[in-house]
Amino acid sequence: MTFERFMALALYAPGVGYYRRAGPRVGYAPGTDFFTAATSGPVFGQLVAAACVALLRGGDPREFTFVEIGAEPGSGVLDGVAHPFGAARCVRLDEEPALAGDCVVFSNELFDAQPFRRLVFRGGAWREIGVVLRGEMLAEIELPLAADAAAPEPVPPLPDAPGEGYILDAPLAATALARRLAVAPWRGLFVACDYGKSWHELAEHTPAGTARAYHRHTQSNDLLARPGEQDLTCHVCWDWLADALGASGFAVAPVLSQEAFLVRHAGAAIAAVSAAGAAGFSREKLALMQLLHPGNLGQKFQVLHAWRD
């Protein structure tokens, strides 16, 4: 099978997929595998809410529904946060977003968790990386490039000569998801926090690809180990997501680092958190450092936002 099919099973197959299993995946507790900005607690939600209000172009936040797509079970970015939106809801795995009316559509590390295709340049042509079962072991195999006639998101034109063995991890399912969200009959603000690269970077500057696995807070390149027990991910392509939104009438802003996005659009909220703990080094200040410092999550993550009237 293709790697994309393997990843879809390993992450989402009913009963056995990584995102189907019970128990926490995110955080610092025993048995977790990675942490996100949301692990920092309500401070992240406060800053997200403040930034979104600032980006509503003068609109009354009470007229908007805040919709978080892909939140972990039992949690949401606005949990414990006093927000000004008219309503807030989370769309979990397998739930339909049902987007309509005035919305703020938000996601945090949603798009990097979508299955992706792995391509390799070999012998002057692009080939598909697949997975084969040999005895009781999984192994990579190279296949002819799959035809995309029926694919929800075809592969764009690929580089002609990237170098022998160049690997391209193509997050096409993430683009298809952005397209599905964008074509729904809603208007307002789209905000996606994730890690990604431009098409130029993916096509020319990542010869080993961007795919990796996470298990017990350890990053690995062994993507076939522990199927169903480790997270699989790759960088999203910001250009593809922007194109998907633009095709449905969104005005897309330039991608910013998480640090720059929050400082630019939630500066007053950052100042308020800092002032509240001015006498000491509070948990909230630690959260700010985690979210904003370039050595932590401030530069690792980026934010794409867009608006549609």
Side-chain angles (χ1 to χ4, degrees), residues 54-126:
L55 291 167
L56 290 183
R57 301 191 174 190
D60 185 348
R62 293 172 296 182
E63 297 178 356
F64 287 79
T65 298
F66 185 97
V67 185
E68 183 177 2
I69 309 291
E72 283 287 302
S75 67
V77 71
L78 295 186
D79 286 356
V81 175
H83 64 80
F85 304 107
R89 61 186 177 90
C90 293
V91 177
R92 313 290 182 183
L93 184 62
D94 293 333
E95 294 179 351
E96 286 298 322
L99 300 173
D102 294 333
C103 294
V104 174
V105 175
F106 171 82
S107 68
N108 181 48
E109 291 197 68
L110 167 69
F111 292 97
D112 69 82
Q114 306 307 305
F116 53 88
R117 292 175 68 174
R118 304 207 79 201
L119 312 178
V120 60
F121 194 78
R122 189 83 67 199
W126 285 98

Side-chain angles (χ1 to χ4, degrees), residues 191-254:
V191 179
C193 301
D194 229 307
Y195 48 84
K197 295 182 180 295
S198 68
W199 170 237
H200 173 72
E201 290 173 312
L202 292 175
E204 298 186 16
H205 299 293
T206 57
T210 65
R212 64 260 206 176
Y214 287 95
H215 181 72
R216 302 297 184 263
H217 294 275
T218 299
Q219 180 180 318
S220 167
N221 293 325
D222 191 350
L223 307 181
L224 306 186
R226 311 180 193 88
E229 298 179 6
Q230 66 177 5
D231 190 26
L232 299 173
T233 180
C234 83
H235 281 65
V236 303
C237 180
W238 290 122
D239 294 329
W240 294 356
L241 297 188
D243 289 346
L245 293 167
S248 288
F250 280 87
V252 184

Side-chain angles (χ1 to χ4, degrees), residues 46-59 61 84-85 104 189 261-269 305 307:
Q46 293 168 19
L47 301 189
V48 166
C52 290
V53 170
L55 291 167
L56 290 183
R57 301 191 174 190
F85 304 107
V104 174
L189 179 66
F261 176 82
L262 293 176
V263 168
R264 181 174 301 182
H265 301 296
H305 73 277
W307 175 268

